[in-house]
Amino acid sequence: MNARNSTLLIALFFTLGGMLSAQQRDQVGDTQIEPPEPVLETDRAVYKDSLKKKEKVKLDGIAAVVGDYVILDSDVAKTLIDLENQGASTKDITHCSLLGKLMEDRLYAHQAVQDSILVSDDEVNATGDRQIQQLVSQVGSMEKVLEFYNKEDVESFREELFNINKLRMLSEKMQQKIIGEIQVTPEEVRQFFNRIPEDEKPVFGAELEIAQIVKEPEIPEEEKQKVIDKLNEIKADVEDNDASFSVKAILYSQDPGSKSKGGFYSMTRQTPFVKEFKDVAFSLREGEISEPFETVFGFHIIYIEKIRGQELDLRHILIQPEIPQKAIDAAKQELDTIRQHILEGKYTFAEAALNFSDEKETKFDGGLLRNPTNFDSRFELTKMDPTLYNQVRDLKDNEISNPILETDPRGGPPKYKILKVTNRYDEHEADFAKDYLKIQELALREKQFKAIRKWMDTHIEDTYISVNAENRDCEFQNNWVKD
């Protein structure tokens, strides 16, 4: 990998890094990955000026070697510069701390290879394709992306993305292997809490508990049948007339994550697609096309292109039925009526959620929302999703919002909802009983950290590691500089 042009890409993954693991949901093949923070707004002239200011940067020097991986001085220096140019806070990031982080990643990746942890080339390429699509959507064209990264062609750009993604994904899989099965018992949580000095007990910010009732517009059966008929027509044209499934996907699929690739995905049983999609995909033989089937995203057909053990290469077409405006209006009207009946005391909000809400995940719990980060019922104000915060910030106690139209970020149909703040918690010092889930999370993190530290100590001893003389005075968190 060319150091002068590629380390800018490394910084990209401090923003995009972990994109799949952090943002994948139960959805069809990442069809709706949330966009990363903009990383291409920095003018290339600014980037060059920043380089000029770093007079001591040694572009071709070797900073460290970890197993089979070489880290150049330019990898470290340019990554820091790029983080600055992206607007990330680098106040507490030093050359040494950044080098230590790069060495950690490479030790994970090196050991993953030793432990025969596999990341398929198709999986890596699919990740790169998604990232390129996001970058193009940010700046408007592939030409602008190549210009910014100083690449002559798409293939050289893909190659560097492949190398970076492969290392990152190996690193993530190795880390998951280390901590994936670690759990904490209630007794361990209690001991962890009791070890915290009284004057160091954590303080949790103001929090809300929020409940909602959801109504989804009813899609007419005739609209569903139109989509099923269209998918059957496409299936027949491919099977009977040797039409290209890939071309059909480009023409008709409404899945933005795969449409431009002819509907292509590579997946395993662990890939976070919705259950219905995986069940159909793994029931098919190579070369077979499924019957139309329904998920929360609409109706699909799947074509199995290749089977490699537990991994599938497939193409799919997604078409969503049209939702008439009158169905959307009817959902809103029904929620208006439900809201009025609650205010009149005909039933409680929780009873209404149980009997009328279309959201299975919340209706049996009084409509109570769960925090996706820890599945607790509380949302800390300073950490809430901005959209949700704006929807509830002005609600008073026992007040119910008017119906709110919400689009599904995963690509599903729109829906209406009404919201209520069911409880408020002021900023407070941690209480073992009231804040058990948060304390449990802190205890788990500590246990995982200790496991990582132990693993690091062991494998640093057993792995060839060399740190350049100019970096040997760094105060690393790990013992990279061996005696």
Side-chain angles (χ1 to χ4, degrees):
M1 186 183 298
N2 186 298
R4 295 176 184 272
N5 297 330
S6 66
T7 51
L8 185 59
L9 295 174
I10 297 174
L12 167 65
F13 290 97
F14 278 83
T15 302
L16 293 182
M19 181 169 60
L20 294 182
S21 60
Q23 297 181 23
Q24 280 179 328
R25 299 176 174 86
D26 279 343
Q27 58 190 39
V28 179
D30 295 329
T31 57
Q32 296 291 333
I33 298 176
E34 295 179 12
E37 294 298 319
V39 297
L40 293 177
E41 294 179 357
T42 303
D43 189 89
R44 178 162 289 277
V46 176
Y47 175 70
K48 290 180 179 178
D49 288 343
S50 298
L51 282 178
K52 291 177 182 178
K53 294 176 183 177
K54 307 288 182 176
E55 295 179 357
K56 295 183 179 181
V57 171
K58 294 187 176 182
L59 294 177
D60 298 317
I62 294 178
V65 178
V66 179
D68 297 327
Y69 294 96
V70 175
I71 304 171
L72 301 179
D73 284 320
S74 56
D75 291 336
V76 184
K78 286 186 178 179
T79 300
L80 183 60
I81 294 169
D82 294 329
L83 287 171
E84 293 171 347
N85 288 343
Q86 292 168 26
S89 173
T90 57
K91 178 182 177 182
D92 299 320
I93 298 177
T94 64
H95 172 90
C96 291
S97 64
L98 193 51
L99 174 59
K101 174 64 170 64
L102 296 179
M103 293 177 74
E104 287 179 11
D105 290 342
R106 281 147 182 79
L107 181 61
Y108 288 131
H110 172 79
Q111 193 58 43
V113 174
Q114 305 306 308
D115 291 355
S116 300
I117 294 176
L118 302 178
V119 175
S120 73
D121 289 355
D122 288 332
E123 185 180 359
V124 179
N125 285 324
T127 299
D129 288 342
R130 285 190 291 269
Q131 291 164 342
I132 287 174
Q133 289 174 15
Q134 288 183 324
L135 294 172
V136 170
S137 69
Q138 287 178 350
V139 300
S141 71
M142 190 67 216
E143 289 73 20
K144 291 182 179 179
V145 174
L146 295 177
E147 179 184 359
F148 186 85
Y149 288 108
N150 196 24
K151 290 295 160 192
E152 295 183 357
D153 53 57
V154 176
E155 288 309 310
S156 61
F157 186 60
R158 288 184 186 278
E159 182 180 353
E160 293 195 11
L161 284 179
F162 179 92
N163 291 332
I164 295 168
N165 276 323
K166 185 85 172 213
L167 187 148
R168 177 179 58 79
M169 294 165 78
L170 283 170
S171 174
E172 288 173 357
K173 284 200 172 185
M174 188 70 246
Q175 292 176 65
Q176 187 58 33
K177 179 180 178 182
I178 299 167
I179 67 172
E181 297 184 4
I182 294 178
Q183 297 179 339
V184 287
T185 65
E187 178 61 20
E188 287 175 318
V189 178
R190 185 188 66 80
Q191 291 177 5
F192 166 81
F193 184 73
N194 289 338
R195 287 197 305 270
I196 305 174
E198 283 299 323
D199 60 347
E200 296 180 15
K201 288 284 196 291
V203 174
F204 297 123
E207 297 171 311
L208 300 177
E209 284 187 335
I210 304 165
Q212 68 180 21
I213 298 173
V214 174
K215 292 307 294 183
E216 298 174 355
E218 186 173 348
I219 303 173
E221 288 301 319
E222 57 266 28
E223 294 298 330
K224 293 183 180 181
Q225 192 59 50
K226 287 179 185 178
V227 171
I228 293 172
D229 291 345
K230 181 62 179 178
L231 289 172
N232 278 325
E233 177 187 321
I234 293 171
K235 171 179 164 71
D237 198 20
V238 174
E239 291 178 335
D240 300 339
N241 303 318
D242 203 26
S244 168
F245 193 99
S246 175
V247 172
K248 295 288 188 181
I250 292 172
L251 291 174
Y252 300 110
S253 183
Q254 293 175 313
D255 173 15
S258 68
K259 176 183 177 72
S260 64
K261 300 181 295 179
F264 179 81
Y265 284 120
S266 181
M267 64 174 283
T268 67
R269 289 279 187 185
Q270 287 69 48
T271 305
F273 291 17
V274 289
K275 181 179 183 298
E276 299 91 336
F277 191 93
K278 287 198 287 188
D279 287 347
V280 172
F282 282 96
S283 71
L284 299 172
R285 298 184 299 273
E286 192 169 295
E288 188 176 4
I289 302 175
S290 74
E291 298 296 327
F293 65 96
E294 187 176 11
T295 73
V296 294
F297 304 102
F299 288 85
H300 313 249
I301 53 173
I302 294 175
Y303 166 61
I304 300 300
E305 198 165 83
K306 192 171 184 180
I307 299 176
R308 296 187 308 280
Q310 295 299 308
E311 188 170 14
L312 303 178
D313 284 350
L314 61 83
R315 296 184 186 275
H316 93 115
I317 295 172
L318 164 68
I319 302 180
Q320 299 167 332
E322 289 290 331
I323 304 177
Q325 185 60 45
K326 65 179 182 180
I328 298 175
D329 294 340
K332 180 178 184 295
Q333 180 59 49
E334 185 174 359
L335 267 186
D336 272 325
T337 302
I338 292 170
R339 178 179 181 274
Q340 189 59 39
H341 286 173
I342 296 172
L343 294 176
E344 293 170 354
K346 291 186 177 181
Y347 33 70
T348 66
F349 194 97
E351 291 170 341
L354 176 62
N355 289 293
F356 304 117
S357 183
D358 291 333
E359 188 171 65
K360 295 179 182 178
E361 295 87 351
T362 61
K363 67 179 297 177
F364 299 106
D365 197 13
L368 196 64
L369 289 174
R370 292 288 170 180
N371 193 326
T373 59
N374 57 9
F375 299 102
D376 190 4
S377 61
R378 299 184 189 180
F379 292 80
E380 189 170 339
L381 286 178
T382 59
K383 299 178 181 178
M384 281 180 66
D385 174 84
T387 300
L388 180 60
Y389 173 77
N390 288 329
Q391 291 169 346
V392 302
R393 64 179 180 179
D394 295 327
L395 287 180
K396 299 178 177 63
D397 292 342
N398 298 316
E399 185 179 2
I400 302 172
S401 74
N402 289 310
I404 299 169
L405 180 62
E406 185 172 76
T407 57
D408 189 337
R410 302 178 304 171
K415 59 188 178 185
Y416 270 102
K417 66 180 182 180
I418 53 175
L419 295 161
K420 179 183 178 182
V421 175
T422 57
N423 276 304
R424 299 179 190 270
Y425 301 88
D426 294 330
E427 181 177 282
H428 63 283
E429 186 178 278
D431 178 278
F432 185 76
K434 295 179 180 178
D435 301 303
Y436 179 82
L437 288 177
K438 291 186 179 64
I439 297 165
Q440 181 187 49
E441 184 180 358
L442 293 174
L444 177 61
R445 288 181 183 177
E446 182 190 61
K447 191 171 182 180
Q448 291 173 335
F449 178 80
K450 289 180 177 178
I452 288 287
R453 176 69 66 190
K454 182 178 179 181
W455 185 92
M456 277 283 173
D457 290 343
T458 299
H459 288 84
I460 286 174
E461 276 299 314
D462 298 339
T463 305
Y464 172 76
I465 295 171
S466 174
V467 180
N468 182 285
E470 295 184 8
N471 296 312
R472 294 179 71 84
D473 291 334
C474 285
E475 294 184 5
F476 294 116
Q477 290 187 354
N478 297 298
N479 186 29
W480 297 114
V481 182
K482 300 180 182 180
D483 297 330

